[in-house]
């Protein structure tokens, strides 16, 4: 697990003038660094690298790896089936000098049938390979677990590749702000790839390896694209294989345990494999309140699961007053982003560093095996005739208890739209009418373009509306939200986050199945849940409803939003992008309890901080108000 920067052409000389672009991402690699300049008659590349040593910590596995005569590799991630791939390479007469997966990937890429061999890789990866003639091979794993960004100049020529965006800022390569991406950050609380918030920086598509040729590197040609998969064997066996591969490390491995279905199944498999590492669980210390927050406390479940499995439990006390952590969230995520769930992982990773270098997480199950409520809503809608949908709209128009209002409002939104719009509407925090009022200069079509493009392609080839929503989630939501904050939150603390349920054996069982077979009405991820029970997950976990990070965003904003908002609304984002009066109305509706807009308002707070930092040139009034905010919202139990 690492971070790297590759600078090309005239910009590569920045590295020779004493500017170290990797200094901005030192957190991604506290164990070693490396720099190398490569040149040809009409090309130049400066390679910068930071290492977090997990497999073969010896310096022999440091990067840049390779030689100018054969090619040089920069690589971030882990190849979990490296031992099996090494046997394949040795069968071809390849001799290796390390015990690390970096050399395995390097030698695999130099094989004449490298594109075919990439289909056999089980891992999370982002890499750049510079060949002796100056050609670049670069790409990401199937699901986009590890990040990779490109920067281009005004002519469209590639000038940089990097693991995070900050090095591009250091080198002056980001270009202007992309207002559509900022608007998407407010609409969805995350930025759909390939947008990043900057006009000249884009995310490399997941599941692809591309080729660029010097001297102009202006056209990317495909070398490899992750193809369709066929499930092999039972899901239970696939999970066992994936966990066994991902627990391998030359450093301490820990488990993130919430007491939910996904992390508990990881715990079950780890115990079977003789796991003796720590299990980290979060607790908030909040007493039950009348605020009707839509979550329940994970701590009692985590404690019961740890006792049931005999795991060594280590508590992490979370600061759930997330409003004052917005500046830290904005800095860590880099892209326009506003999901408070990331704050929990940020704190867990910081607490785990020093006790474990690798953390195993259940991230990704909801998208692959259809655990979110929105999938059941779409499944129901696609089964209903149009007349029944009209009747249902009338039924849900009656007053609802506060805790069900947000769900009912989103369902009503779907009833008003066609299937081509369900993918974006299930993730949006504003209706089309509300968006037109909030952001009159950024049309709804621009903000929802990627969702409609991905969903439309599925529908046009005869796929179901549910399949279209699932495809959007796997291609946009998963890498743009959950995997983004999984990488950023853990790597900011110098910790590697592994996601065994996204390993190739498990992913194949999900991607190779029809969407409708993954769930039942009233039972999200039904197939996954049934397999977990047969694997040994106890009933008290299997029957537990899905919950999330218990940050009382709604309560915080109702209690303190009234005094924070006057400073936040001063941000220039409400001059340049969003209508201030409309935002005032939304905030007031939430504070007064007329409508639940907690997460939407939280997203506006984040957008204000992001805009002030990146457009107006530094911390503004919004950030000053949040940094100075120090009142806890709820009574806490003693630790």
């Amino acid at each position: 697990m690492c971070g790297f920067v590759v600078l090309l052409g005239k910009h590569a000389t920045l590295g020779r003038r004493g500017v170290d672009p990797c200094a901005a991402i030192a957190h991604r690699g506290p164990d070693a660094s490396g720099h190398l300049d490569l040149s040809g008659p009409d090309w130049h590349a400066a390679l910068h690298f930071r290492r977090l040593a997990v497999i073969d910590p010896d310096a022999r596995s440091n990067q840049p790896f390779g030689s100018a005569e054969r090619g040089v590799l920069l690589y971030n991630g882990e190849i979990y089936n490296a031992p099996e791939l090494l046997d394949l390479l040795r069968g071809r007469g390849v001799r290796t000098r390390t015990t690390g997966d970096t050399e395995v990937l390097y030698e695999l890429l130099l094989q004449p049938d490298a594109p075919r061999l990439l289909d056999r890789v089980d891992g999370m990866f982002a890499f750049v390979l510079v060949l002796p003639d100056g050609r670049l091979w670069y790409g990401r794993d199937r699901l986009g677990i590890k990040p990779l960004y490109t920067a281009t100049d005004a002519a469209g020529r590639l000038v940089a590749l990097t693991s995070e965006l900050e090095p591009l800022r250091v080198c002056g390569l980001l270009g202007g702000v992309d207002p559509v991406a900022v608007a998407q950050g407010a609409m969805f609380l995350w930025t759909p790839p390939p947008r990043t918030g900057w006009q000249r920086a884009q995310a490399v598509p997941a599941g692809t390896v591309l080729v660029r040729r010097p001297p102009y590197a202006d056209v990317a040609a495909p070398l490899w694209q992750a193809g369709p998969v066929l499930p092999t064997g039972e899901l239970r066996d696939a999970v066992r294989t994936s966990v066994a591969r991902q627990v391998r490390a030359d450093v301490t491995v820990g488990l993130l345990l919430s007491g939910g279905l996904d992390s508990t199944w990881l715990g079950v498999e780890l115990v079977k494999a003789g796991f003796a590492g720590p299990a980290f669980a979060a607790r908030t210390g909040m007493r039950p309140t009348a605020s009707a927050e839509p979550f329940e406390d994970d701590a009692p479940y985590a404690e019961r699961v740890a006792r049931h499995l005999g795991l060594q439990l280590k508590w992490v006390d979370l600061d759930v007053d997330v409003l004052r952590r917005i500046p830290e969230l904005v800095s860590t995520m880099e892209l326009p982003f506003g999901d408070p769930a990331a704050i929990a992982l940020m704190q867990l990773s910081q607490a785990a560093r020093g006790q474990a270098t690798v953390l195993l997480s259940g991230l990704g199950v909801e998208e692959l095996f259809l655990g979110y409520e929105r999938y059941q809503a779409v499944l129901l809608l696609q089964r209903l005739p149009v007349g029944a949908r009209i009747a249902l709209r009338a039924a849900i128009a009656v007053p609802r208890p506060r805790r069900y209002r947000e769900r009912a409002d989103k369902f009503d939104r779907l009833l008003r739209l066609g299937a081509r719009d369900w993918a974006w509407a299930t993730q949006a925090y504003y209706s089309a009418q509300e968006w037109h009022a909030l952001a009159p200069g950024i049309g709804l079509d621009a903000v929802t373009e990627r969702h409609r493009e991905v969903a439309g392609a599925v529908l046009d080839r005869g796929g179901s509306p549910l399949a279209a929503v699932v495809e959007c989630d796997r291609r946009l939501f998963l890498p743009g939200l959950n995997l983004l904050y999984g990488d950023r939150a853990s790597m900011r603390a110098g910790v590697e986050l592994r996601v065994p349920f996204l390993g190739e054996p498990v992913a194949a069982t999900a991607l190779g199945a029809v969407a409708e077979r993954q769930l039942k009405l009233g039972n999200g991820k039904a197939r996954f849940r049934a397999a977990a029970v047969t694997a040994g997950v106890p009933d008290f976990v299997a029957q537990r409803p899905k919950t999330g990070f218990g940050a009382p965003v709604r309560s915080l904003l109702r209690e303190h939003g009234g005094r924070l908002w006057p400073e936040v609304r001063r941000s220039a984002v409400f001059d340049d992008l969003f209508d201030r009066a409309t935002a005032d109305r939304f905030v007031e509706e939430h504070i007064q309890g007329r409508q639940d807009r907690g997460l939407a308002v939280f997203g506006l707070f984040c957008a204000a901080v992001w805009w002030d930092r990146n457009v107006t040139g530094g911390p503004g009034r919004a950030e000053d108000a949040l940094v100075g905010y120090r009142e806890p919202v709820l009574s806490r139990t003693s630790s």
Side-chain angles (χ1 to χ4, degrees):
M1 186 68 68
C2 310
F4 58 78
V5 181
V6 177
L7 300 174
L8 304 167
K10 62 181 180 181
H11 296 286
T13 59
L14 289 171
R16 294 200 301 270
R17 288 206 299 262
V19 175
D20 178 9
C22 261
I25 54 172
H27 51 271
R28 298 191 72 92
D31 298 326
S33 64
H35 308 275
L36 183 65
D37 282 309
L38 297 172
S39 297
D42 56 2
W43 62 274
H44 184 96
L47 283 60
H48 308 267
F49 180 76
R50 299 290 305 209
R51 184 183 185 196
L52 175 65
V54 171
I55 301 293
D56 190 24
D58 192 275
R60 63 193 175 187
S61 284
N62 285 350
Q63 300 178 39
F65 190 92
S67 66
E69 293 73 27
R70 299 186 68 208
V72 178
L73 176 69
L74 293 179
Y75 152 58
N76 167 32
E78 298 290 347
I79 306 301
Y80 302 122
N81 63 338
E84 294 88 340
L85 294 172
L86 180 58
D87 288 342
L88 180 152
L89 291 168
R90 285 173 175 167
R92 296 182 173 196
V94 175
R95 294 184 178 182
T96 58
R97 58 184 176 84
T98 75
T99 59
D101 58 330
T102 298
E103 186 170 16
V104 170
L105 178 61
Y106 176 72
E107 292 293 346
L108 182 148
L109 291 171
L110 295 180
Q111 295 296 301
D113 57 344
R116 184 180 66 82
L117 293 179
L118 280 167
D119 287 330
R120 303 181 64 170
V121 172
D122 175 19
M124 54 179 182
F125 60 82
F127 72 84
V128 177
L129 177 66
V130 184
L131 294 170
D133 60 2
R135 281 179 300 152
L136 295 173
W137 291 7
Y138 62 96
R140 300 172 71 191
D141 59 79
R142 175 190 296 280
L143 295 172
I145 302 172
K146 300 315 299 173
L148 183 59
Y149 300 101
T150 61
T152 56
D153 63 15
R157 292 185 290 264
L158 185 68
V159 293
L161 300 105
T162 181
S163 300
E164 290 188 9
L165 295 172
E166 185 59 25
L168 300 177
R169 183 201 303 277
V170 170
C171 295
L173 301 177
L174 281 173
V177 166
D178 176 5
V180 172
V182 181
Q184 289 173 323
M187 173 67 101
F188 304 116
L189 305 187
W190 54 279
T191 307
R195 293 183 185 272
T196 64
W198 303 94
Q199 293 177 357
R200 291 185 180 172
Q202 286 197 326
V204 173
T208 62
V209 173
L210 301 171
V211 180
R212 299 257 190 162
R213 297 177 180 275
Y216 299 114
D218 54 353
V219 178
L223 177 74
W224 170 81
Q225 184 167 4
V229 295
L230 295 175
T232 56
E234 296 293 329
L235 174 57
R236 183 177 60 180
D237 297 333
V239 169
R240 182 172 297 118
T241 297
S242 191
V243 172
R245 286 177 176 177
Q246 297 201 27
V247 78
R248 297 172 184 162
D250 294 327
V251 293
T252 303
V253 177
L255 169 67
L256 293 179
L257 181 66
S258 68
L261 179 65
D262 312 337
S263 65
T264 299
W265 193 354
L266 290 182
V268 167
E269 298 300 336
L270 288 169
V271 168
K272 291 177 184 176
F275 176 74
F280 298 92
R283 59 185 177 188
T284 63
M286 292 188 305
R287 296 191 182 114
T289 72
S291 61
E293 295 282 358
F295 60 80
E296 60 177 335
D297 191 5
D298 281 338
Y301 287 93
E303 186 172 29
R304 187 175 176 185
V305 168
R307 187 166 57 248
H308 177 81
L309 297 177
L311 290 170
Q312 173 193 357
L313 191 62
K314 293 185 177 294
W315 289 109
V316 178
D317 292 307
L318 297 186
D319 173 11
V320 296
D321 201 348
V322 293
L323 297 184
R324 64 188 178 207
R325 286 185 172 266
I326 286 176
E328 181 186 3
L329 176 69
V330 169
S331 175
T332 300
M333 296 302 122
E334 294 192 302
L335 287 76
F337 188 93
D339 192 330
I343 295 173
L345 185 55
M346 289 161 56
Q347 295 181 69
L348 282 163
S349 299
Q350 290 161 3
R353 178 63 180 163
Q355 302 180 70
T357 306
V358 173
L359 293 174
L360 301 181
S361 166
L363 204 68
V365 170
E366 309 303 326
E367 293 85 1
L368 257 63
F369 293 95
L370 282 58
Y372 295 122
E373 287 184 349
R374 59 177 173 262
Y375 301 133
Q376 295 189 54
V378 171
L379 180 62
L380 173 62
L381 285 175
Q382 74 180 26
R383 291 178 177 178
L384 290 177
V386 175
R389 295 180 195 171
I390 295 174
L392 192 56
R393 276 188 60 189
I396 66 172
V398 300
R400 285 94 58 184
R402 179 184 294 173
R403 69 179 304 165
Y404 299 113
R405 276 185 211 164
E406 186 176 4
R407 296 173 180 173
D409 289 345
K410 284 191 174 183
F411 193 65
D412 181 59
R413 190 183 306 160
L414 296 183
L415 288 169
R416 297 171 183 269
L417 297 169
R420 200 168 291 264
D421 290 307
W422 287 349
W424 71 260
T426 56
Q427 299 172 0
Y429 286 89
Y430 299 97
S431 68
Q433 293 75 20
E434 291 168 340
W435 184 257
H436 290 315
L438 179 64
I442 305 291
L444 184 68
D445 287 346
V447 174
T448 63
E449 178 183 18
R450 280 293 289 150
H451 285 82
R452 290 173 58 84
E453 175 185 322
V454 174
V458 174
L459 295 171
D460 289 344
R461 62 175 181 258
S464 69
L466 179 62
V469 171
V470 169
E471 183 72 1
C472 263
D473 276 11
R474 290 173 180 166
R475 289 183 55 187
L476 304 179
F477 180 84
L478 181 59
L481 175 68
N482 286 334
L483 293 178
L484 174 82
Y485 84 68
D487 174 82
R488 290 296 198 280
S490 58
M491 290 307 295
R492 184 57 64 107
V495 172
E496 174 176 295
L497 190 75
R498 295 182 178 179
V499 282
F501 292 122
L502 298 186
E504 283 290 309
V506 183
T509 68
L511 299 176
V514 175
E516 283 75 5
R517 294 179 182 173
Q518 303 280 24
L519 79 165
K520 300 176 182 177
L521 286 177
N523 185 6
K525 58 184 181 188
R527 177 176 168 235
F528 184 89
R529 191 182 311 275
V533 170
T534 64
V537 171
D539 286 340
F540 73 86
V541 172
Q543 301 307 316
R544 180 189 175 191
K546 175 177 171 53
T547 186
F549 169 41
V553 173
R554 296 160 179 83
S555 302
L556 282 163
L557 287 169
R558 285 202 176 97
E559 184 168 350
H560 300 295
R563 67 184 179 88
L564 291 172
W565 177 245
E567 297 302 318
V568 174
R569 72 186 298 278
R570 292 173 180 266
S571 167
V573 76
F574 299 105
D575 297 315
D576 303 334
L577 203 61
F578 300 127
D579 181 73
R580 186 175 276 108
T582 302
D584 287 342
R585 174 167 60 85
F586 292 158
V587 173
E588 183 181 4
E589 286 175 351
H590 180 78
I591 291 173
Q592 295 184 359
R594 300 200 304 270
Q595 191 164 346
D596 184 357
R597 295 190 182 274
L599 290 176
V601 172
F602 186 84
L604 290 177
F605 277 48
C606 293
V609 173
W610 194 97
W611 192 265
D612 287 347
R613 284 189 172 191
N614 294 297
V615 178
T616 61
R621 297 284 290 269
E623 183 164 343
D624 290 342
L626 293 167
V627 168
Y629 162 69
R630 284 291 181 271
E631 290 188 34
V633 64
L634 297 174
S635 299
R636 309 285 183 98
T637 59
S638 58
S639 299

